[in-house]
Amino acid sequence: MKPQDIIKEKGSIWIFGYGSLVWKPDFKYKRSKIGFVEGYKRRFWHGDDLYRGDKEKPGRVVTLVQDHEACTWGVAYEVADSQVDESLQYLDMREAVGGGYVLQLLEFTAREEKGQNNNNNNNNNNNKLLALVYIATSDNPIYLGPAPDSEIAERIVLCRGSAGLNMEYLLRLAQFMRCCCPDVDDEHLFSVEAAALALVL
Ligand code: SIN
């Protein structure tokens, strides 16, 4: 389904962020919800030779990797019809052209907010929506793939790109999880963070 078709049907679109978009959306949106997508794990497996690294030494940034037992937490942003052209143009430049990510449509489940009645299935279904998600796959030329957490951390502490330090990207993502999803244990993220901090402290 194309973004334009979703807008025609629903009047707005949702965009799910699980990397820098959770702490630096920088595009116009109407509202946001914290929640998760099922069937995907977040991994520092994508290379970044622009924002958090360079051609010589690409940084490591996150992508989503299919895993039917996993789920990944982040933020979904609702972009209204009037904001869509500007926001999608900005995101395409940032994520697709600059980052090598491609768009997919996934089911997002919003976290239940305090006071929300969750006693029946209808309410649970109200928390689900379709969201556009930028994902980088292994066929991308700057995809780096799996590596031990210690190796990922070594690369992250060394790299810097046009948006700043690769370490900042890692720390801000971990900070988002601690502060906005305190009950979620994102093992890979926190283990890479601990390994990176051990190298610099
Ligand atoms: C991105 O959105 O993937 C790049 C922006 C950043 O690293 O700050």
Side-chain angles (χ1 to χ4, degrees):
M1 211 187 217
K2 290 195 199 120
Q4 289 76 5
D5 298 333
I6 303 172
I7 293 158
K8 254 187 231 150
E9 202 183 305
K10 314 252 185 209
S12 67
I13 53 170
W14 287 84
I15 296 178
F16 176 68
Y18 57 91
S20 64
L21 291 179
V22 302
W23 49 269
K24 189 175 74 172
D26 275 0
F27 61 90
K28 289 195 176 140
Y29 62 91
K30 206 163 108 182
R31 60 184 169 141
S32 64
K33 292 179 179 205
I34 290 173
F36 57 87
V37 292
E38 283 176 302
Y40 287 85
K41 58 190 178 191
R42 172 171 34 217
R43 288 293 180 271
F44 279 87
W45 289 3
H46 190 39
D48 182 342
D49 59 8
L50 177 61
Y51 303 112
R52 302 285 164 178
D54 57 31
K55 299 266 176 241
E56 231 167 77
K57 206 171 274 151
R60 275 200 176 253
V61 290
V62 289
T63 186
L64 292 184
V65 179
Q66 265 185 319
D67 175 346
H68 70 275
E69 285 178 355
C71 81
T72 294
W73 283 75
V75 183
Y77 300 93
E78 186 179 26
V79 179
D81 194 355
S82 60
Q83 302 167 323
V84 161
D85 287 347
E86 194 183 329
S87 294
L88 277 189
Q89 218 176 341
Y90 167 77
L91 284 170
D92 268 352
M93 279 310 288
R94 171 170 158 183
E95 304 298 326
V97 178
Y101 291 83
V102 292
L103 266 182
Q104 288 190 28
L105 198 56
L106 299 182
E107 186 178 81
F108 166 82
T109 305
R111 177 172 66 190
E112 269 157 25
E113 297 304 334
K114 274 194 194 109
Q116 191 175 348
N117 179 353
N118 62 357
N119 288 340
N120 63 48
N121 283 336
N122 279 343
N123 275 318
N124 287 338
N125 285 338
N126 283 344
N127 291 341
K128 292 190 188 297
L129 52 94
L130 282 178
L132 292 168
V133 188
Y134 287 91
I135 295 182
T137 54
S138 57
D139 53 13
N140 191 292
I142 53 169
Y143 192 82
L144 294 172
D149 291 348
S150 56
E151 214 175 282
I152 294 176
E154 274 168 32
R155 171 62 65 104
I156 287 175
V157 299
L158 283 180
C159 288
R160 168 201 285 273
S162 62
L165 297 172
N166 204 173
M167 186 71 170
E168 183 205 12
Y169 177 103
L170 164 65
L171 295 181
R172 286 196 188 273
L173 188 53
Q175 187 184 28
F176 159 80
M177 285 302 295
R178 270 196 205 94
C179 129
C180 298
C181 315
D183 301 328
V184 180
D185 180 19
D186 192 322
E187 222 181 296
H188 172 74
L189 172 63
F190 292 136
S191 154
V192 171
E193 182 199 32
L197 285 173
L199 291 171
V200 294
L201 294 180

